[in-house]
Amino acid sequence: MPPSASKSPVHSPPLIVPSLHTHKTTLIVLHGRGFTAQKFAEPILTHPVSSLLPSTTSLLGTLTHPGKVFRDYFPHTKFVFPTAPLRRAVVFQRSLTHQWFDNWSLTQPELKQHLQAPGLRETAIYLHDLLQKEIDVVGPKNVVLIGLSQGCASSLITTLLWEGEPFGAVVGMCGYLPFRKGMLDFATGGEEQEEDPLAESEDMFEREDGDPKAKESDSEKAIRWLREELQAEREKTEKTAPFSFESIPVFMGHGTEDEKVPREIGRLAADFLDTIGVNIEWKEYEGLGHWYSADMLRDVVRFFKGLDGWEDTTDESRTA
């Protein structure tokens, strides 16, 4: 990938929380804009999780064993918390803030979306390196990306641009997908384009067989457009697997009362990922704002229990 026109920001070393027992899996966890690893790590690791067992209603909700928190479900998991570098935020009069990329509006994502490109390109490079380092230790299926808000957006873009072996999964909380509409319009020809009854015959008989774009799927078209928009060159890896994102399951959870990223924006991201062949699970949480909850984390744990290599790391019978 070409360097940014401006000087690339400096990434501080990520915060590492070692596994409680033998290291078998790794979670790379990305915070949202304005946070740091130090501010984000403890709240999510120590947040209560609703019971995975059949619920029993009480005034205190449906929490499982007393004291059972998110980290307790992953005794064999190493947690990696990167911190987004300081970048100038145009919407905040170019003040410096920790963000994975710059953006203008979350309610109207297409406004000034060019602001996102440099940061997303640099963040993808950085996260690809983190992913590969952890994959080299525990294997691709045992590494998962998880992010909140901008962290979710960065995780999704990083996954769409990933060309290594398919890694374990992606978890997005109250997030969205930058450049979704552009990818969708390019892949499908746009909503306003009229159907041409001769288009199928032209596609079948009149294009050159040697043209690499002649037989592109919608997902291939979308990713090619994304790479061109971000000026992201294809990375050369020992085990190249173009479009490996199609083999990477995704879970997205969103609060119905999210005041920063409207749930409709998140749902559109999930719908698009489904359109291009991603195995996507979408959940909404009544009354939840721009954060996570005990119920969302319960569903995240359940999602992990269904992943290859993660079954024994999320055993409900383990005690805190």
Side-chain angles (χ1 to χ4, degrees):
M1 297 183 184
S4 171
S6 59
K7 185 178 179 180
S8 297
V10 177
H11 290 267
S12 59
L15 172 64
I16 305 296
V17 179
S19 59
L20 297 172
H21 301 296
T22 304
H23 179 206
K24 296 181 180 179
T25 54
T26 297
L27 275 181
I28 300 174
V29 190
L30 307 184
H31 60 76
R33 178 157 68 178
F35 276 77
T36 63
Q38 286 70 22
K39 292 180 180 179
F40 192 65
E42 184 176 359
I44 190 170
L45 290 175
T46 60
H47 198 286
V49 177
S50 295
S51 177
L52 276 67
L53 301 173
S55 62
T56 55
T57 304
S58 73
L59 293 177
L60 297 178
T62 57
L63 299 184
T64 181
H65 313 295
K68 191 85 169 182
V69 297
F70 188 62
R71 188 188 183 192
D72 294 329
Y73 287 92
F74 303 95
H76 295 284
T77 299
K78 168 186 174 183
F79 288 83
V80 179
F81 290 90
T83 291
L86 287 170
R87 300 178 189 271
R88 301 237 175 240
V90 174
V91 73
F92 299 139
Q93 288 77 49
R94 293 188 54 78
S95 59
L96 285 169
T97 189
H98 288 283
Q99 57 179 0
W100 298 107
F101 57 92
D102 199 10
N103 67 287
W104 184 257
S105 172
L106 297 178
T107 56
Q108 296 177 285
E110 283 72 46
L111 282 179
K112 301 185 180 181
Q113 64 178 0
H114 66 280
L115 296 173
Q116 304 172 101
L120 283 170
R121 180 174 63 245
E122 294 159 359
T123 292
I125 294 172
Y126 171 71
L127 293 178
H128 285 174
D129 182 61
L130 278 185
L131 281 165
Q132 192 58 58
K133 286 178 179 177
E134 293 304 317
I135 286 171
D136 291 342
V137 176
V138 294
K141 292 297 183 182
N142 295 331
V143 180
V144 169
L145 269 178
I146 178 170
L148 172 76
S149 193
Q150 254 203 13
C152 168
S154 299
S155 296
L156 293 176
I157 291 294
T158 294
T159 303
L160 292 178
L161 297 178
W162 176 253
E163 293 191 326
E165 295 178 88
F167 54 87
V170 178
V171 173
M173 302 179 292
C174 293
Y176 57 103
L177 178 59
F179 295 103
R180 176 203 61 85
K181 188 175 186 302
M183 285 188 281
L184 178 63
D185 289 348
F186 188 80
T188 62
E191 297 178 356
E192 297 181 358
Q193 182 173 348
E194 295 183 1
E195 293 186 5
D196 184 350
L198 299 178
E200 183 175 352
S201 62
E202 289 175 354
D203 285 349
M204 292 177 61
F205 302 113
E206 295 185 12
R207 293 189 293 187
E208 294 290 337
D209 291 338
D211 182 359
K213 300 178 183 178
K215 299 179 181 179
E216 280 185 322
S217 65
D218 286 349
S219 60
E220 290 170 332
K221 291 176 184 176
I223 303 309
R224 178 164 61 85
W225 182 90
L226 179 64
R227 285 192 176 280
E228 291 173 355
E229 196 71 14
L230 298 184
Q231 298 179 17
E233 294 180 353
R234 302 187 69 158
E235 299 176 9
K236 295 180 180 179
T237 62
E238 293 182 1
K239 298 180 179 179
T240 300
F243 311 109
S244 59
F245 67 84
E246 294 175 339
S247 301
I248 301 173
V250 177
F251 173 90
M252 292 184 69
H254 216 109
T256 60
E257 304 301 318
D258 192 329
E259 71 286 0
K260 293 185 178 179
V261 181
R263 63 173 165 175
E264 290 77 13
I265 303 297
R267 189 188 299 119
L268 286 172
D271 290 345
F272 171 77
L273 292 172
D274 179 67
T275 297
I276 62 173
V278 173
N279 178 12
I280 174 79
E281 180 178 350
W282 168 260
K283 292 268 190 176
E284 296 184 11
Y285 300 88
E286 290 295 329
L288 178 64
H290 191 63
W291 202 240
Y292 45 81
S293 65
D295 285 351
M296 184 187 290
L297 293 182
R298 173 203 61 206
D299 292 338
V300 169
V301 172
R302 284 176 173 169
F303 174 73
F304 277 106
K305 288 173 72 69
L307 300 177
D308 292 340
W310 290 80
E311 300 87 350
D312 66 337
T313 67
T314 55
D315 189 352
E316 169 69 7
S317 65
R318 297 183 186 276
T319 57

